Amino acid sequence: MCRRKISQSLLACLLLTLASVFPVQASSTISPMAYEALTEVHELLQESQWQEAGERLDRMIQRFGREPYAQATAWQMRGYVFSELDQHDKALHAYEKALDTEALDTESSQQVLYNTAQLLLVLERSSEAVERIGKWLAEYADPTPTQQVQAAWIYLSAGYHRDAATLMQGAISRVDEPQQSWYQILVAALQATDDFRALEQWLPRAIKDYPEQKTFWMQLASVHLQQERHRRATATLAAAYHNGLLEDSSDLTYMAQLFLHAGVPHKAARVLREAMHKGTVEDTARHYEMLAEIWLRSREIGLAIHTYEQALKAGADHDVSLRLGRLLLQNEDHHAALPHLKTAAKSDKGRTRAEALLLLGMAAYSHGAVEEAQHAFVEARAYEEVRRQAENWLEYLKHPG
């Protein structure tokens, strides 16, 4: 939770309190001297002169001990000053002193009570914060949707996710146009409890109300994925994609992977290729490698070969040289496979080097370079994972046909 958010809430409370004080006549709830003192402190608060304001308030609390309303207001303002100075323990104490006077009107008292719940959260006294917000909420016979949201935020921050979700569902159901932040609080609460059924109910409504918010689309897709509903997840992100919401590199590569897992590799390749062409996804070795793998899954061998070549130009490692060499060999383009397999055979990785040497021997033999093939098989024999195959080839070369 952000201290700035709390401070803004407390400041709003103070401004309301002072606004209610100013119109009061000196002969009424507050004396002219107390009124003047509060006015001067108010001006200091507006100028963020916390130290001076605090000292004035301390003197006021001592001076106007027989004026409960002036004392309550001074304590309330003192709590705000302490909060601005990050002295949260003292802020909480000041607010509780304001409540102890029992001099505040109902609205101000409720606001101060809510502020104490916020401060208890800051002080990591979550159970007390929940108890305090429960007391705050109980004062309303029929809480408004906004009040339900205020309480839900405290419950969510304190880790009482189910209570937060219940309040948020009630608040959203009672208004025609829920705020975007209301949906965000609800979704956070439901995610914390893994309530996928409820998420599947509320996220589409959030998307309907705020279709331009990519986060809701991504969250709904994630819910489908967590339940292994890959096609639904893909359809959700496809809709977001066609609405122009997926513009980040990470979003587009994620989209491509979803298409791939959903069994539509051609769509995956199209998304990634278009993104790389536009420059949204950088033309790095990793992305070319990813695209090549997708082309392979699409059985587009020629495109896969071309994309692997682009990956190597972009700085791909020996493993990619091996994959390209293997693919060219399978495609019976032995001559083209040779240089890539020779490069892969220089790898520091034993497994990569072993397979590259074995395939190099096979490519060389098929290309008619028997001596080169024999040399490669001899080297490959040193690696246990391909030793038997290399020895079989060497035996064959001794007695060809």
Side-chain angles (χ1 to χ4, degrees):
M1 178 174 51
C2 176
R3 183 187 70 83
R4 176 56 53 189
K5 288 183 179 179
I6 291 179
S7 296
Q8 290 173 345
S9 176
L10 303 187
L11 179 57
C13 162
L14 281 172
L15 293 178
L16 285 172
T17 300
L18 291 172
S20 67
V21 169
F22 291 155
V24 178
Q25 298 297 320
S27 60
S28 181
T29 311
I30 191 169
S31 69
M33 292 181 66
Y35 179 88
E36 183 180 354
L38 285 171
T39 303
E40 292 174 356
V41 172
H42 179 223
E43 292 173 354
L44 291 171
L45 290 177
Q46 289 182 319
E47 296 172 0
S48 301
Q49 296 186 37
W50 314 122
Q51 196 66 37
E52 177 65 20
E55 292 173 0
R56 294 277 191 97
L57 287 167
D58 289 340
R59 290 196 293 270
M60 276 193 66
I61 291 168
Q62 295 296 323
R63 183 179 179 185
F64 299 105
R66 294 184 179 182
E67 293 192 42
Y69 189 71
Q71 275 235 322
T73 305
W75 276 118
Q76 185 180 7
M77 296 170 76
R78 194 64 176 104
Y80 172 68
V81 172
F82 279 133
S83 181
E84 277 296 323
L85 296 173
D86 289 332
Q87 298 177 20
H88 301 303
D89 278 309
K90 292 182 178 180
L92 179 61
H93 173 73
Y95 283 124
E96 289 178 336
K97 292 290 287 185
L99 292 172
D100 288 343
T101 65
E102 298 183 354
L104 294 173
D105 61 83
T106 301
E107 183 180 354
S108 297
S109 179
Q110 280 293 92
Q111 183 60 64
V112 172
L113 188 60
Y114 186 83
N115 291 342
T116 63
Q118 290 181 307
L119 285 167
L120 285 166
L121 282 177
V122 175
L123 295 169
E124 299 182 357
R125 293 159 60 179
S126 298
S127 59
E128 293 177 70
V130 168
E131 182 181 353
R132 197 69 59 92
I133 202 61
K135 180 180 178 182
W136 176 85
L137 195 60
E139 290 295 319
Y140 300 107
D142 183 21
T144 66
T146 298
Q147 289 165 345
Q148 289 180 301
V149 173
Q150 288 177 297
W153 185 81
I154 296 291
Y155 280 118
L156 177 66
S157 301
Y160 288 66
H161 304 115
R162 295 189 187 280
D163 296 291
T166 299
L167 284 166
M168 289 308 307
Q169 287 170 328
I172 292 174
S173 298
R174 293 171 62 190
V175 297
D176 294 330
E177 298 180 1
Q179 296 179 31
Q180 181 183 326
S181 61
W182 291 17
Y183 282 117
Q184 291 170 335
I185 296 173
L186 173 58
V187 170
L190 294 174
Q191 286 178 325
T193 57
D194 291 332
D195 193 343
F196 299 126
R197 185 174 181 179
L199 284 165
E200 287 183 324
Q201 173 189 349
W202 288 101
L203 278 168
R205 180 168 172 178
I207 289 171
K208 181 181 178 181
D209 288 345
Y210 296 96
E212 74 286 355
Q213 291 302 316
K214 178 183 71 176
T215 301
F216 292 140
W217 293 89
M218 301 293 286
Q219 288 170 329
L220 182 56
S222 177
V223 169
H224 290 318
L225 281 177
Q226 287 174 294
Q227 297 178 92
E228 298 185 357
R229 297 173 180 173
H230 295 286
R231 289 192 177 274
R232 287 191 182 184
T234 304
T236 299
L237 282 195
Y241 174 71
H242 291 303
N243 287 336
L245 298 179
L246 305 187
E247 298 178 344
D248 296 339
S249 176
S250 58
D251 293 337
L252 292 167
T253 53
Y254 181 53
M255 180 74 195
Q257 290 171 337
L258 270 185
F259 273 134
L260 187 62
H261 291 309
V264 281
H266 277 93
K267 287 186 177 181
R270 186 163 59 249
V271 167
L272 186 55
R273 181 174 63 179
E274 288 178 1
M276 293 177 70
H277 178 72
K278 293 177 181 178
T280 309
V281 173
E282 293 184 22
D283 52 352
T284 61
R286 182 175 66 87
H287 289 142
Y288 276 124
E289 184 180 347
M290 179 181 175
L291 180 57
E293 296 293 331
I294 295 174
W295 283 129
L296 272 181
R297 291 280 293 273
S298 304
R299 299 185 180 180
E300 297 285 356
I301 305 303
L303 289 171
I305 289 172
H306 174 68
T307 308
Y308 273 134
E309 289 172 344
Q310 289 178 298
L312 289 172
K313 290 178 181 178
D317 61 14
H318 291 119
D319 287 340
V320 174
S321 295
L322 174 60
R323 289 176 203 160
L324 178 55
R326 185 195 302 126
L327 185 57
L328 289 165
L329 186 60
Q330 292 170 348
N331 209 39
E332 297 186 357
D333 192 346
H334 310 115
H335 176 70
L338 284 171
H340 298 297
L341 293 172
K342 289 177 181 178
T343 298
K346 299 175 183 178
S347 173
D348 294 331
K349 299 177 183 178
R351 184 175 296 276
T352 299
R353 179 173 166 77
E355 184 181 354
L357 286 167
L358 181 66
L359 295 178
L360 177 59
M362 295 166 64
Y365 175 79
S366 298
H367 191 56
V370 178
E371 185 175 342
E372 184 178 358
Q374 185 173 25
H375 179 72
F377 289 135
V378 169
E379 283 196 70
R381 187 170 56 183
Y383 297 91
E384 184 177 356
E385 52 264 52
V386 297
R387 182 174 297 149
R388 175 176 289 186
Q389 292 170 282
E391 289 177 344
N392 288 341
W393 268 103
L394 288 170
E395 185 66 24
Y396 174 78
L397 291 177
K398 287 180 183 179
H399 310 285

